């Protein structure tokens, strides 16, 4: 199994901050990584696929980078709507998710 | 517009079998490359992909749940069914179906809450 580890588990930030979430894979997954945003009581929403490709309709303040085993999701300037939980997902070897990063208002 | 909707029991007893149905529209599960998967979220835990079925009837299962899970499709009804046996309170959570074309899940259903309790 390919395990995905996100850090931090919780992140406190303010509107306008630049934040970065890291996702590490237990083995190389190439560029086969996606990021999702989930709000309480809602389904996950796809933000980024293939490491850095922005899903249609997703604001450009979201960006992704990385390769192999280490990946990052960056939000360049936090907006009130961005406070949520973020998950990475690898799809190189079956499909596994990270444990999530909860982005809280400081 | 792609939509997916999960249906099934909200409460099952331990050891019982859970059957969930995903009814979708806006795409066809006969189209090359399309797949539908089931993902669950236990309270306070991470998302977990349970199973995936492809347009050509190929199937993928979570290694840890393979012995308990079966996924099937009915393309005439635009439905995907998940069967999970020997349910346990640890299986409590929200169950989602989602569509994938390249391994990531682009559209999701609203989710259905399943509680396992006697």
């Amino acid at each position: 199994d390919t395990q995905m580890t996100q850090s931090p588990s919780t992140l406190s930030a303010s509107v306008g901050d630049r934040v970065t979430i890291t996702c590490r894979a237990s083995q190389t997954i190439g560029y086969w990584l996606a990021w999702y945003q989930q709000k309480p009581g809602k389904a996950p929403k796809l933000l980024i696929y293939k490491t850095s490709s922005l899903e249609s309709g997703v604001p450009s303040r979201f960006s992704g980078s990385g390769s192999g085993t280490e990946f990052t999701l960056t939000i360049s300037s936090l907006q009130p709507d961005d406070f949520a939980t973020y998950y990475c997902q690898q799809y190189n070897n079956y499909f596994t998710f990270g444990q999530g990063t909860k982005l809280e208002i400081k | 517009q792609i939509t997916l909707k999960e249906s099934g029991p909200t409460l099952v007893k331990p050891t019982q079998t859970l059957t969930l149905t995903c009814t979708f529209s806006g795409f066809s599960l006969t189209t090359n490359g399309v797949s539908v998967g089931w993902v669950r979220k236990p309270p306070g835990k991470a998302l977990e992909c349970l199973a995936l079925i492809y347009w050509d009837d190929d199937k993928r299962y979570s290694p840890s749940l393979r012995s308990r899970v079966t996924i099937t499709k009915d393309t005439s009804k635009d439905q995907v069914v998940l069967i999970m046996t020997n349910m346990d309170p640890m299986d409590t959570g929200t169950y989602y179906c989602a569509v994938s074309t390249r391994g990531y899940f682009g559209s999701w259903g609203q989710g259905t809450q399943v509680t396992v309790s006697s």
Side-chain angles (χ1 to χ4, degrees):
Chain A
D1 294 11
T2 302
Q3 307 300 318
M4 306 300 292
T5 303
Q6 286 181 234
S7 60
S9 297
T10 306
L11 180 57
S12 296
S14 302
V15 172
D17 284 354
R18 178 185 180 91
V19 299
T20 297
I21 299 168
T22 298
C23 181
R24 290 185 173 85
S26 61
Q27 58 188 289
T28 184
I29 60 170
Y31 294 95
W32 307 116
L33 185 99
W35 289 96
Y36 300 85
Q37 176 193 69
Q38 186 175 34
K39 296 181 178 179
K42 299 292 187 182
K45 173 188 174 183
L46 176 68
L47 299 175
I48 288 171
Y49 58 93
K50 203 177 178 185
T51 296
S52 59
S53 296
L54 202 64
E55 173 71 346
S56 175
V58 174
S60 59
R61 62 181 180 272
F62 290 91
S63 63
S65 64
S67 68
T69 61
E70 186 153 338
F71 302 84
T72 59
L73 171 71
T74 299
I75 309 173
S76 60
S77 178
L78 273 175
Q79 299 302 301
D81 191 50
D82 299 338
F83 292 95
T85 299
Y86 292 84
Y87 293 93
C88 61
Q89 176 227 335
Q90 68 83 18
Y91 49 101
N92 178 69
N93 176 14
Y94 191 59
F95 315 93
T96 48
F97 293 85
Q99 81 278 17
T101 294
K102 185 176 183 180
L103 182 52
E104 298 180 329
I105 300 174
K106 184 184 286 185
Chain B
Q1 179 191 2
I2 290 175
T3 65
L4 304 98
K5 187 171 184 178
E6 307 85 353
S7 59
T10 57
L11 179 66
V12 296
K13 291 181 167 51
T15 75
Q16 286 188 336
T17 295
L18 172 70
T19 300
L20 294 176
T21 300
C22 174
T23 303
F24 58 84
S25 63
F27 67 93
S28 173
L29 199 39
T30 62
T31 300
N32 192 309
V34 175
S35 60
V36 171
W38 285 93
V39 177
R40 71 178 177 182
K41 188 179 181 317
K45 296 186 177 180
L47 297 164
E48 179 182 19
C49 184
L50 308 177
L52 202 77
I53 189 164
Y54 292 83
W55 85 99
D56 61 357
D57 210 38
D58 191 15
K59 299 163 188 176
R60 294 286 186 269
Y61 292 103
S62 164
S64 62
L65 293 169
R66 174 180 297 273
S67 63
R68 298 176 51 209
V69 172
T70 302
I71 190 169
T72 62
K73 62 181 173 66
D74 185 336
T75 52
S76 68
K77 295 181 179 179
D78 286 341
Q79 291 181 334
V80 171
V81 173
L82 179 80
I83 298 171
M84 184 179 291
T85 61
N86 194 24
M87 292 292 284
D88 181 272
M90 294 286 287
D91 296 314
T92 292
T94 303
Y95 286 69
Y96 300 95
C97 62
V99 61
S100 171
T101 53
R102 294 180 179 84
Y104 51 88
F105 297 102
S107 295
W108 297 63
Q110 63 191 21
T112 186
Q113 174 67 35
V114 176
T115 300
V116 184
S117 174
S118 55

